[in-house]
Amino acid sequence: MHTSKKLALLLFAALLSTPLAAKELLNSSYDIARELFAEINPLFIAHWQQQSGETLTINQSHGGSSRQAQAILQGLRADVVTFNQSTDIDVLHQRGNLLPANWRERLANNASPYYSTMAFLVRKGNPKQISSWQDLAKPGVGLVFPNPKTSGNARYTYLGAYGDALQRFDNDDAKARNWVKTFLANVVVFDTGGRGATTSFVDRQLGDVLITFESEVNGIIKQYPDQQFERVVPPTNVLAEFPVAWIDRNIQRNGTEKQAKAYLEFLYSSAAQQVLARHFYRVHDADVVAATAAQFPVTKLFKVEDLFSSWDAVQSTHFASGGVLDQLLAEGKR
Amino acid sequence: MSQTALNSSRRWIRPLLINLGVVLTLLLLVVPLVFIFVAAFSAGVGGLWQNLTEPDMLHAIGLTLLVAGLTVPINLIFGTLIAWCVTRFSFPGRRLLLTLIDIPFAVSPVVAGLLYLLLYGSNGPFANILDQHDIQLMFAWPGLVMVTVFVSCPFVVRELVPLMSTLGTEQEEAAVLLGASGWQVFWHITLPNIRWALLYGVILTNARAVGEFGAVSVVSGTIRGQTNTLPLHIELLQQDYNTAGAFIAAALLTLIAIATLVVKAVLQWKLARQH
């Protein structure tokens, strides 16, 4: 019995170790993208098989994208990253030199095959009449979104609100700041992540508006049909890019240069863009855009870099300890 | 206070305390436990089967068993050696060694995970050597085994040391005087005396190894179908809005825990009879 047990263990270990013949790609991604890539990966595997005759296996790792970047810096050998925040890819260059600084220029549209923006999830019938960012700061409106300190998703919410205010007040920062203070005072609960915020809004019935990515909002509406939530996309909004990159150091080591690049280029193909649009991400492919126009309300998008200089500056002035966010939260409590 | 007053106050204090105990046990232990299984079956038998046979779930179960299957023998041998060392020999630093053994209990598992990551990750002192030989420890199953061995290593030692101290060395000394070799002494004298405690330690080690979350979550990299253990898989399923799947995985872990408790209770009963 003992030897058979040992044999089984050895067999199992062999099963676990990487097979030498078949090529593997590891895609390190953000935490809510599993279903998306579960749908895209088989398409690429078939495409690659047809093109090169090679059978590919694609493994997925999902987590908060800052945490994923940390793991790659510590030695997780991901071939490609598909993140929801470009600063997390920059970190891979700055701290580990795993890829060149100009990674954005290697693929079209700032290396962002798809993008999204923020949307509001409101309760049945939109009882608080929410239609724009401005409405969110009205008295008596309860807001739910994660803490911008810990969640990339919420950083976009904060910047979306702030950017909208800057545009409304003709770039008068003092006025915008004041408005954001009343906006933040309406927050009912700051969860640490997007999932927690959804639970607060859906299960604990807290607040009137849940703010998250447009793609997520549509997913939640589909997930809880009986609650009859409604979606509101404000007329001006922040552009949230979903940047992708191959990790040069790792693909050289893994010998997957061709496959990794082809995989990311495939995300721009019409087949992949259709899947993306079905998951409520906004895409660039003209035909897919035309075919799916009805599901994406028109909104005027601004880039974070255009209104707030750079992401680095945003990080240090707004989100660092004692930064604008902390100040506004403290002032709002008084 | 007169005797009757004391009796009458006892008359209502006793049921109050008993009821309080029962209600708390129900609320904190029984209801959540039952709820896990109710939620697991919420998807129906078909959903249960579909979730259980899903490749990532099967792999998570297999990986969890592999990690436990490697951790237990390693800690069994290591724990027995340490306990033997500490109770059969006297040397400077003996107490210190006993204290050091408890460190995995004292530190948070997350700290243990980070420690291994810093040591064996690509910024650690061994990064170059590991790199040259193309050995991947962190974010692969060897890393999962390493941290699990760390967090579960005190169990066997902690079970053996008190027992071996009370047993004393007379029988072993007699065996040596009669000409037995060290191995013979261990095999024929020590092992029969400690076997139940040893098994008990193994069961606790196994329970911990199967359920460990914190340390493995740091070194896993959560690659589905590769480095995702059952506890990590629960979290991922939950994040996927697959509540039923998450509860099915949780129910599996709970079943393992209950089985462990049953075996433990039987062993305890046998141990009590032996003494």
Side-chain angles (χ1 to χ4, degrees), chain A residues 16 34 61 67 73-74 195, chain B residues 66 122 217 221 224 238 240:
Chain A
L16 282 171
R34 193 187 78 90
S61 168
R67 194 181 160 185
L73 284 172
Q74 301 278 6
R195 188 66 228 257
Chain B
L66 174 86
S122 59
S217 107
R224 277 168 208 255
Q238 161 81 358
D240 282 352

Side-chain angles (χ1 to χ4, degrees), chain B residues 8-275:
Chain B
S8 74
S9 77
R10 263 189 197 156
R11 207 172 297 149
W12 63 269
I13 281 181
R14 201 183 284 163
L16 182 84
L17 285 178
I18 290 174
N19 281 323
L20 198 71
V22 169
V23 168
L24 281 180
T25 314
L26 275 176
L27 280 182
L28 296 177
L29 279 173
V30 181
V31 173
L33 208 62
V34 172
F35 184 74
I36 287 178
F37 289 98
V38 172
F41 277 99
S42 69
V45 179
L48 187 77
W49 181 248
Q50 197 194 342
N51 270 298
L52 273 179
T53 51
E54 200 249 340
D56 287 347
M57 176 79 90
L58 285 177
H59 188 277
I61 296 169
L63 182 62
T64 305
L65 294 180
L66 174 86
V67 169
L70 288 175
T71 301
V72 168
I74 291 172
N75 275 337
L76 176 70
I77 294 165
F78 170 78
T80 315
L81 284 178
I82 293 278
W84 174 276
C85 208
V86 166
T87 56
R88 294 296 176 258
F89 302 94
S90 144
F91 52 91
R94 198 177 135 262
R95 291 214 151 268
L96 185 72
L97 183 64
L98 260 175
T99 316
L100 281 178
I101 292 292
D102 277 344
I103 281 187
F105 277 171
V107 301
S108 161
V110 176
V111 178
L114 276 176
L115 221 98
Y116 273 77
L117 197 54
L118 288 179
L119 211 56
Y120 299 103
S122 59
N123 297 326
F126 306 114
N128 279 334
I129 306 172
L130 292 173
D131 216 38
Q132 277 160 19
H133 296 89
D134 202 35
I135 297 170
Q136 180 91 11
L137 290 178
M138 296 296 109
F139 308 111
W141 66 266
L144 299 178
V145 176
M146 285 162 80
V147 295
T148 312
V149 165
F150 178 85
V151 296
S152 64
C153 80
F155 285 104
V156 171
V157 184
R158 277 287 136 202
E159 282 303 315
L160 288 189
V161 167
L163 178 67
M164 287 174 77
S165 300
T166 45
L167 280 175
T169 53
E170 287 96 358
Q171 289 183 20
E172 285 154 13
E173 278 163 5
V176 172
L177 283 177
L178 289 172
S181 69
W183 178 249
Q184 281 174 323
V185 171
F186 177 75
W187 196 250
H188 294 291
I189 309 292
T190 315
L191 193 61
N193 279 332
I194 62 168
R195 58 169 191 255
W196 291 114
L198 203 58
L199 240 129
Y200 191 52
V202 161
I203 285 166
L204 289 178
T205 307
N206 185 56
R208 182 63 198 266
V210 166
E212 175 55 28
F213 178 85
V216 293
S217 107
V218 178
V219 300
S220 149
T222 57
I223 308 167
R224 277 168 208 255
Q226 284 206 326
T227 61
N228 217 10
T229 61
L230 209 45
L232 296 176
H233 200 56
I234 295 177
E235 195 200 19
L236 287 192
L237 289 169
Q238 161 81 358
Q239 275 169 357
D240 282 352
Y241 295 104
N242 183 356
T243 316
F247 273 106
I248 288 165
L252 267 180
L253 273 184
T254 313
L255 278 180
I256 296 175
I258 291 173
T260 308
L261 283 180
V262 169
V263 177
K264 194 186 113 181
V266 170
L267 282 184
Q268 253 168 350
W269 176 70
K270 286 209 165 178
L271 262 175
R273 262 183 24 148
Q274 198 188 23
H275 288 304

Side-chain angles (χ1 to χ4, degrees), chain A residues 27-28 72 103 134 177 182 184 202 237 266 273 330:
Chain A
N27 176 6
S28 172
I72 292 170
W103 60 267
Q134 216 175 335
R177 211 186 125 115
T182 52
L184 288 174
V202 177
N237 217 332
F266 182 76
Q273 300 256 303

